[in-house]
Amino acid sequence: MDLQKQTAPAAELRASDADRDRIADILREALAEGRLTADEHSERVEGVLNAKTVGGLEAFIKDLPAAHGPRPATAYASVPNRPTHHLPADPDDNAVAIFSSAVRKGRWRAGRRIHAYAIFGSVEIDLSEALFEYQQVVIKAIAVFGSIEVRVPENVSLRGTGGGILGSFEVDMLDAEDAAAPVVYVDGWAVLGSVEGRPRRGKLVTDILDRVHAKVEKRLCKHLDH
């Protein structure tokens, strides 16, 4: 059996959301540097969103310098699946919902250990605007006939270790570009319930777009001055 003939070329592989984000970042930088006009950028971004394969994505940056340089290495291997720092046995915060709901969101301080219990109820833990005082944060999540939803900002790493008993335990793996960024560990069980952890696209993306627009405006002003 010829295994090489059965392996699809990289360009024919289905594109992931991470692949689309990488191409979109390159296009934003090209817009900020003046390599693309606003119309060209808009047209290419639309194409990126509709592209199905890695090769289809690469076509939108093949005339840009970033497409021909080395790609940044993923930080996946450097992020441990289990906490490596000493963590207290007692939680810094408890979110308990018994036939009710509990929410932690907004501008709040995330401790090293957070316990969440949803028994015939729902718990929402939103870390997208939280203040991280520690590099590693553990969320112990137990859902029994209930649901626990964890949301994190894009610039942290996210890991999950747990399972479901007639329930659903789903945590998206997320890797921050900065190796020193906080790591959020979601650990627990879902018994006839659900536990999920997801990144939330929020202020980080908005801030990036604001910086890009600022760069474009600065370049336009500079050209007008000349």
Side-chain angles (χ1 to χ4, degrees):
M1 184 182 296
D2 191 347
L3 295 177
Q4 291 184 343
K5 291 184 179 179
Q6 292 186 344
T7 303
E12 297 178 8
L13 295 176
R14 299 285 292 189
S16 68
D17 288 340
D19 294 326
R20 294 188 180 87
D21 288 343
R22 179 177 62 84
I23 299 300
D25 288 340
I26 292 175
L27 293 176
R28 280 194 288 267
E29 287 298 324
L31 172 65
E33 294 170 355
R35 299 181 188 276
L36 296 176
T37 65
D39 289 340
E40 289 173 331
H41 174 262
S42 178
E43 181 180 352
R44 295 193 188 197
V45 168
E46 183 177 356
V48 166
L49 295 176
N50 294 324
K52 301 298 184 183
T53 65
V54 173
L57 290 175
E58 298 288 347
F60 294 102
I61 61 169
K62 63 182 180 180
D63 59 344
L64 300 175
H68 306 285
R71 295 182 183 179
T74 179
Y76 184 84
S78 65
V79 179
N81 289 325
R82 292 281 186 176
T84 57
H85 296 180
H86 172 71
L87 296 172
D90 295 328
D92 298 306
D93 189 9
N94 283 305
V96 181
I98 302 176
F99 288 98
S100 61
S101 63
V103 178
R104 298 289 186 276
K105 65 187 303 183
R107 202 68 172 167
W108 63 292
R109 296 182 183 277
R112 286 176 291 179
R113 180 182 287 275
I114 302 168
H115 286 186
Y117 300 97
I119 303 174
F120 290 95
S122 63
V123 174
E124 178 186 357
I125 299 178
D126 188 346
L127 296 163
S128 58
E129 296 182 10
L131 299 174
F132 286 88
E133 297 182 321
Y134 304 96
Q135 202 267 335
Q136 295 186 348
V137 174
V138 170
I139 298 177
K140 186 70 174 181
I142 303 295
V144 181
F145 288 96
S147 64
I148 298 176
E149 179 183 284
V150 179
R151 293 292 182 267
V152 302
E154 290 183 295
N155 56 335
V156 305
S157 294
L158 178 63
R159 291 290 183 269
T161 53
I165 301 175
L166 297 179
S168 172
F169 184 95
E170 298 182 2
V171 176
D172 288 348
M173 296 297 187
L174 178 64
D175 297 294
E177 295 182 2
D178 185 356
V183 184
V184 177
Y185 295 93
V186 180
D187 179 25
W189 291 90
V191 181
L192 292 168
S194 65
V195 174
E196 69 171 35
R198 301 278 189 272
R200 168 162 287 169
R201 300 186 184 279
K203 289 190 174 181
L204 181 63
V205 173
T206 303
D207 291 343
I208 291 175
L209 292 175
D210 288 343
R211 288 198 295 271
V212 169
H213 288 257
K215 288 181 181 179
V216 173
E217 290 178 2
K218 184 176 180 180
R219 290 184 64 89
L220 289 173
C221 292
K222 185 176 180 180
H223 286 302
L224 290 175
D225 290 340
H226 290 299

